[in-house]
Amino acid sequence: MGFLPFVKLGLVANGIIFGSVIALGAIGLTLVYGILKLGNFAHGDYMAFGAYVAFYIVDGLLPRAGIEGAGLGPFTFGFPVLIALPLSAIVVALGAIALDLLIYRRLRQRGASTAILMMASLGVAIAIRGLVQLIWSGDTQHYPRESRQVYHLPMDVRIPPDGLFVAIVAVILVAGVYMLLTYTKIGKAMRATSDNPSLALVTGINTKHVVWWTWGIGGALAAIAGVLLAVVQAQLLPIMGWKFLIPLFAAVILGGIGNPYGALIGALVVGVSMEVSTQWINPSYKPAVAFAIMIGVLLARPHGIFGDSQ
Amino acid sequence: MALLEASNVVAGYGETEILHGVSISVNKGEIVTIIGPNGCGKSTLMKAIVGLVRVRTGAVRFRGVDISRLEPEQTVRSGLCYVPQSDNIFPSMTTRENLEMGAFVRRDDFRHRIDEMFELFPDLKRSARMKAGRLSGGQRQMLAIARALMLDPVLLLLDEPSAGLAPGLIHTVFERIRGINETGVSLLLVEQNARESLRMSDRGYVLSGGDNQIEDSGPALLNNPEVGRLYLGG
Amino acid sequence: MDIGGVIDYLVGFAIMAMIYAIFTLGLNVHWGFTGLFNIGIAGFFALGAYTAALLTSPPPDPEQFEDFVFGGNLAHHDVLAWGIDAWFFLGIAAAAAVCGLVALIIGSITLRLNDDYLSIATLGIAESVRLFFLNEKWAANGSKGLYRIPKFLGDLIPAENYDYLYIVVVLIVLLILFVAVQRAARSPWGRVLRAIREDEVTTAASGKNVSHFKLQSFVFGAMIMGVGGALFAHHVRFLSPLTFDPLLATFVIWAMLMVGGSGNNLGAVLGAFVVWGVWAGTQFLPGVFSDPSFRLLMIGVLIVTIMLLRPGGLLGEWRRIVARRPAPAAGRDATGAD
Ligand SMILES: Nc1ncnc2c1ncn2[C@@H]1O[C@H](COP(=O)(O)OP(=O)(O)O)[C@@H](O)[C@H]1O
Ligand SMILES: [Mg+2]
């Protein structure tokens, strides 16, 4: 680890936090990509929508029930965000399933090409962003917050408590997805469908359920990723999801399309690289760094860092 | 009444029609082999029977019920299992998981069935925890067949089970197929190794250009000079 | 508004519509002919516009700008004027070349692998280009942007009537590109592209190097977009990274092609006029119709609806874009392997 002395450990820590948000988005994206053969350009906007649904719950619904607050323990946000997190996940999961029934299922039944599916997802992405802007305006918003002290660790590492929260939520959810995919019948069926859709069909796997579960998990993870992104960035913007697409896809491609474990590693690599790069280059180039990593991977290992190099 | 009866099946892809009215049947307990030149529609016929390719006109009756409009998932439940010609395993899943997937529609405890498969194909037991994508060609084929057998099918459709295998292995595969048949499973095969396959078949069909050409008993087809010249390599 | 004002307005409208038509033609080469999914049009738009603007503008006054130093100053070399402002064509050519080069590099990395990668890469190109012009103040004055981009043959005609000259220029360029694209589409090369779009596997099997053809199409379309960007720069004469917002620089162009009909060049041009007409016309409507967010929503709904109902577009139909194959399982046809 000879380069480590030159790298600020604090940036690595930030990168891991940022990478865990990317991971939650990328795992859902790669599942959808592998199982439905759809590079979902609306995935970032599912995230943004989730963040805004949570904002509505925290800012609009709960205060009416008398539930308000910020600065829960060491965190900037309050208890309402913890309530909004699962609720928003459910809303986006159901929304993702509904959009499949409304749009993608029809296209699949017609035998539409992947380009058509992606095109439709672009339309969905644009529509969601328009809707978010229409409802909540294009201005910056944020969850109610109180400022908090950051943790000071040795070697000049400073971690905001919010970041720790984000990382812990991500670890729990990733572990949950792992258990689901490894041990449950539907999880195995999802992997089988991702591996070989037509064989899954003639094996008798209920691909309809697989599709629902895939969107459900992907949508829920996207919503949570969106809320966590809004927490770490301390703001919500309608464009936040679209902007997040490059790191998301970079992580998915890095890990190999359809491989959720690969997406996790890919997300951490992308997240850490983006943060560490700011030591040398202008931080606003972070998305370009993610893009450069993606192009580098496509050059060196076209099937992802874990993929067969055939 | 035949177990499987496909009559005048017309099917194809997009605008192209591949099968122009093919009829075949399989009786209970039989091994039936379909031979024919490459690209004549043998695989398409199998896909049409299981419901992967839509049957445009004609009927497919299985145990007296028309299955030509069913989804593959429903066909499988009725006791008709299918092993595709290629891509017939789940490569990123372990051997055992592949077998579990084969039993997807079973609601009972199917662990004993996995053990039976391991007895039938001991190689698979040794590689139970290995990713199926890392199995050898022969092991893959065994796994694909075992996966399809997980449901105790009445009729098994095998699309070129010996394709791409070493000569020694081909013989083993045919041995196993005969063994499966002896347990009471009826079989419909598509085969390039027509001689060996016809030798153990009760009946055979020659398909050509999307139409039935000849139907006869296995040995009769083997001895038919025209079939020999055209499809059995002299 | 008097009649002269109306005509002025219509001329300005037509110039923008024709510039958009150029982009729609470029996109038609990508998507309509070849099925390449470019969602980073804004990147080529900006690259073309900035290239032409920077090459032709004079270097900024060092008294006024600290960081911004660049400026090719082609427009002020008499050598390059020859009395016909030849620098204008140099700028256009350079814009096309730069876009083509970027497309060549990114396309050759991504297209040999998987079409999906290309579309993700176009997103990356657009964002990287935007970030470059935003951050590299020395090159393009950052978020404050470039202004007073030179006018082609600006001395010939009084400023208030300049649009009457420029509309002719844009029309000529559009016609040339239209004929070029139309010819390309009907050439053996275009036929291969359509064959790829309709059935890539069979085309590859017949011995065509599919990824080469796709790369050529990607580069060709990107160069057309570069030309569009250059014409835009000399028309509005002000550029900033905000100009190339995905809504106006990518999504609207997609809506134009979707309305016009993929694979149909005349439809592409018509679609540009129709969508730009609706866009410009609804600006004057009260309330929600002129709200940019509502328009964003409508563009999204339009694209989804067209994909569901008429994937070939409203006017022209791209007959066989929908591969009428069985779609087993959840995903694409995976049974064609044998
Ligand atoms: N998924 C598909 N889409 C379009 N055409 C196909 C597809 N699969 C097979 N074909 C065509 O159908 C014909 C018959 O193929 P197939 O049934 O696989 O033949 P066989 O198994 O007898 O070799 C071939 O001409 C082949 O090119
Ligand atoms: Mg075949």
Side-chain angles (χ1 to χ4, degrees):
Chain A
M1 288 293 196
F3 74 97
L4 265 187
F6 307 108
V7 170
K8 292 200 187 108
L9 274 184
L11 291 177
V12 176
N14 276 343
I16 291 173
I17 292 164
F18 192 54
S20 10
V21 179
I22 302 176
L24 292 181
I27 288 172
L29 183 60
T30 208
L31 285 175
V32 170
Y33 214 150
I35 292 169
L36 296 129
K37 310 300 171 217
L38 162 64
N40 180 20
F41 283 111
H43 210 77
D45 291 284
Y46 287 8
M47 282 176 59
F49 190 71
Y52 274 93
V53 168
F55 175 72
Y56 172 69
I57 294 171
V58 169
D59 186 70
L61 275 187
L62 292 180
R64 265 179 249 167
I67 306 173
E68 270 177 286
L72 175 74
F75 307 121
T76 63
F77 54 86
F79 186 61
V81 169
L82 296 185
I83 304 176
L85 208 53
L87 290 180
S88 152
I90 292 169
V91 170
V92 177
L94 294 179
I97 294 171
L99 283 174
D100 186 77
L101 294 178
L102 208 66
I103 300 168
Y104 303 116
R105 191 180 59 140
R106 291 173 194 220
L107 292 174
R108 282 195 305 271
Q109 280 171 349
R110 216 171 57 195
S113 63
T114 51
I116 298 272
L117 288 170
M118 283 168 99
M119 186 72 222
S121 80
L122 175 70
V124 171
I126 298 170
I128 291 180
R129 183 134 52 86
L131 194 68
V132 165
Q133 249 168 253
L134 206 58
I135 301 176
W136 288 285
S137 91
D139 305 336
T140 321
Q141 314 268 17
H142 55 80
Y143 302 136
R145 48 181 287 126
E146 273 171 26
S147 48
R148 283 288 183 269
Q149 289 282 309
V150 296
Y151 295 136
H152 286 267
L153 301 183
M155 301 183 67
D156 200 28
V157 176
R158 273 166 292 177
I159 301 182
D162 285 1
L164 211 57
F165 172 80
V166 165
I168 289 170
V169 172
V171 166
I172 294 171
L173 289 174
V174 168
V177 171
Y178 175 81
M179 308 273 263
L180 181 104
L181 290 176
T182 315
Y183 298 114
T184 67
K185 189 171 172 180
I186 189 71
K188 288 180 195 176
M190 285 168 67
R191 280 159 56 211
T193 310
S194 173
D195 257 17
N196 191 338
S198 74
L199 185 65
L201 204 61
V202 296
T203 302
I205 290 172
N206 187 333
T207 42
K208 193 163 79 180
H209 287 178
V210 167
V211 169
W212 289 351
W213 274 88
T214 306
W215 280 118
I217 293 169
L221 291 179
I224 293 173
V227 176
L228 297 182
L229 183 64
V231 166
V232 284
Q233 294 188 338
Q235 64 172 21
L236 297 100
L237 263 180
I239 193 118
M240 66 193 258
W242 181 257
K243 291 264 135 122
F244 216 64
L245 276 184
I246 296 172
L248 282 184
F249 274 108
V252 166
I253 289 174
L254 217 63
I257 288 174
N259 179 350
Y261 315 127
L264 171 65
I265 306 294
L268 291 174
V269 171
V270 171
V272 170
S273 312
M274 284 169 80
E275 287 299 325
V276 168
S277 75
T278 62
Q279 197 172 332
W280 299 283
I281 60 180
N282 186 335
S284 73
Y285 276 123
K286 279 198 251 176
V289 170
F291 178 53
I293 293 173
M294 188 183 104
I295 292 293
V297 168
L298 290 182
L299 272 175
R301 294 197 63 95
H303 297 271
I305 30 187
F306 309 110
D308 312 324
S309 43
Q310 51 104 24
Chain B
M1 185 187 62
L3 180 66
L4 177 79
E5 177 118 45
S7 39
N8 298 315
V9 170
V10 175
Y13 306 93
E15 278 156 15
T16 38
E17 186 179 295
I18 306 287
L19 305 175
H20 315 294
V22 177
S23 304
I24 60 154
S25 66
V26 180
N27 295 311
K28 192 146 181 36
E30 272 188 330
I31 300 182
V32 174
T33 296
I34 302 172
I35 62 172
N38 249 327
C40 72
K42 303 180 299 292
S43 298
T44 307
L45 176 60
M46 288 215 154
K47 289 181 210 163
I49 292 172
V50 292
L52 272 181
V53 167
R54 200 173 64 82
V55 177
R56 293 177 187 173
T57 61
V60 180
R61 257 176 241 290
F62 179 58
R63 296 158 115 179
V65 182
D66 187 2
I67 57 166
S68 60
R69 295 279 168 274
L70 294 189
E71 294 290 316
E73 186 206 331
Q74 295 163 304
T75 312
V76 166
R77 283 175 197 271
S78 68
L80 189 161
C81 292
Y82 160 65
V83 178
Q85 177 175 351
S86 57
D87 292 322
N88 49 21
I89 52 161
F90 300 113
S92 81
M93 305 179 82
T94 65
T95 298
R96 178 178 275 279
E97 284 173 335
N98 266 270
L99 294 178
E100 289 173 14
M101 285 300 107
F104 189 86
V105 302
R106 284 179 79 141
R107 302 231 167 267
D108 56 343
D109 185 5
F110 51 79
R111 269 175 297 188
H112 67 278
R113 187 66 181 161
I114 293 185
D115 293 335
E116 282 170 34
M117 288 301 118
F118 283 159
E119 260 166 50
L120 193 59
F121 305 105
D123 259 15
L124 296 185
K125 180 168 190 160
R126 281 188 287 278
S127 60
R129 295 157 76 82
M130 221 157 101
K131 289 244 160 54
R134 295 175 48 206
L135 299 177
S136 70
Q139 290 169 326
R140 279 179 189 226
Q141 207 59 40
M142 302 295 182
L143 175 59
I145 296 173
R147 193 219 87 237
L149 285 174
M150 283 300 293
L151 291 181
D152 280 313
V154 180
L155 173 65
L156 187 59
L157 270 55
L158 299 177
D159 195 347
E160 304 209 17
S162 72
L165 299 186
L169 273 172
I170 294 180
H171 189 68
T172 325
V173 169
F174 280 120
E175 206 105 282
R176 291 285 146 68
I177 291 173
R178 212 187 309 239
I180 293 165
N181 179 243
E182 274 158 17
T183 66
V185 181
S186 311
L187 282 145
L188 178 62
L189 301 182
V190 165
E191 255 309 326
Q192 288 292 328
N193 291 293
R195 275 176 193 286
E196 193 154 3
S197 181
L198 285 175
R199 210 168 286 139
M200 67 174 185
S201 299
D202 298 292
R203 286 184 306 114
Y205 291 86
V206 179
L207 210 66
S208 179
D211 285 305
N212 287 75
Q213 299 292 323
I214 310 169
E215 174 196 348
D216 213 331
S217 73
L221 279 180
L222 271 177
N223 296 324
N224 182 326
E226 196 192 345
V227 173
R229 190 168 47 80
L230 288 176
Y231 307 117
L232 302 177
Chain C
M1 200 157 45
D2 63 303
I3 191 79
V6 171
I7 291 176
D8 282 350
Y9 179 81
L10 287 180
V11 168
F13 166 83
I15 290 176
M16 270 319 287
M18 285 195 285
I19 290 174
Y20 269 120
I22 291 173
F23 284 102
T24 316
L25 278 179
L27 186 61
N28 201 20
V29 171
H30 287 164
W31 172 256
F33 292 179
T34 329
L36 300 177
F37 191 34
N38 178 357
I39 52 170
I41 305 167
F44 297 110
F45 197 155
L47 214 49
Y50 268 105
T51 302
L54 286 171
L55 277 182
T56 55
S57 300
D61 180 357
E63 306 260 303
Q64 286 181 28
F65 296 94
E66 282 176 26
D67 311 311
F68 180 34
V69 293
F70 198 83
N73 207 16
L74 289 187
H76 299 264
H77 284 289
D78 290 339
V79 207
L80 292 170
W82 297 321
I84 53 159
D85 280 3
W87 52 265
F88 177 72
F89 303 103
L90 276 177
I92 290 182
V98 168
C99 287
L101 190 67
V102 169
L104 182 69
I105 293 169
I106 299 298
S108 57
I109 295 171
T110 53
L111 276 173
R112 66 195 165 101
L113 304 169
N114 173 338
D115 283 7
D116 300 359
Y117 293 163
L118 179 82
S119 41
I120 298 158
T122 57
L123 199 64
I125 295 173
E127 184 65 3
S128 305
V129 166
R130 193 186 68 86
L131 289 173
F132 177 83
F133 289 120
L134 189 62
N135 288 308
E136 303 306 316
K137 290 210 178 74
W138 59 271
N141 202 25
S143 58
K144 293 201 201 75
L146 304 179
Y147 22 91
R148 276 188 294 195
I149 297 163
K151 279 185 195 169
F152 172 56
L153 296 178
D155 307 332
L156 280 189
I157 197 161
E160 63 270 23
N161 290 332
Y162 181 70
D163 276 1
Y164 289 88
L165 182 134
Y166 202 65
I167 191 173
V168 178
V169 175
V170 176
L171 180 65
I172 291 171
V173 176
L174 175 61
L175 281 177
I176 292 171
L177 289 177
F178 183 84
V179 171
V181 172
Q182 194 77 353
R183 287 210 159 184
R186 298 214 174 123
S187 70
W189 182 76
R191 278 200 294 278
V192 175
L193 292 186
R194 267 196 303 282
I196 290 172
R197 185 194 73 193
E198 278 168 28
D199 191 343
E200 185 168 338
V201 181
T202 313
T203 315
S206 70
K208 301 281 188 290
N209 187 335
V210 166
S211 61
H212 255 93
F213 277 93
K214 285 186 187 169
L215 183 59
Q216 289 160 6
S217 156
F218 186 53
V219 170
F220 182 41
M223 290 174 77
I224 295 175
M225 292 176 179
V227 174
L231 289 182
F232 177 81
H234 292 292
H235 173 56
V236 299
R237 306 182 59 223
F238 167 76
L239 301 177
S240 94
L242 286 180
T243 316
F244 305 99
D245 162 75
L247 172 60
L248 277 168
T250 297
F251 301 153
V252 164
I253 297 163
W254 269 106
M256 289 165 176
L257 186 66
M258 291 291 99
V259 166
S262 321
N264 172 347
N265 291 322
L266 202 59
V269 174
L270 220 57
F273 272 85
V274 170
V275 171
W276 192 242
V278 172
W279 192 269
T282 50
Q283 264 170 0
F284 305 115
L285 288 182
V288 79
F289 293 101
S290 52
D291 184 332
S293 311
F294 180 74
R295 293 155 159 240
L296 200 57
L297 175 62
M298 282 301 116
I299 288 191
V301 171
L302 176 78
I303 290 178
V304 173
T305 314
I306 289 178
M307 285 299 106
L308 279 174
L309 302 181
R310 284 182 75 107
L314 284 189
L315 301 184
E317 192 148 22
W318 170 0
R319 273 193 312 118
R320 293 192 51 201
I321 181 176
V322 183
R324 282 185 216 99
R325 287 183 187 180
R332 69 184 150 205
D333 186 356
T335 59
D338 49 346

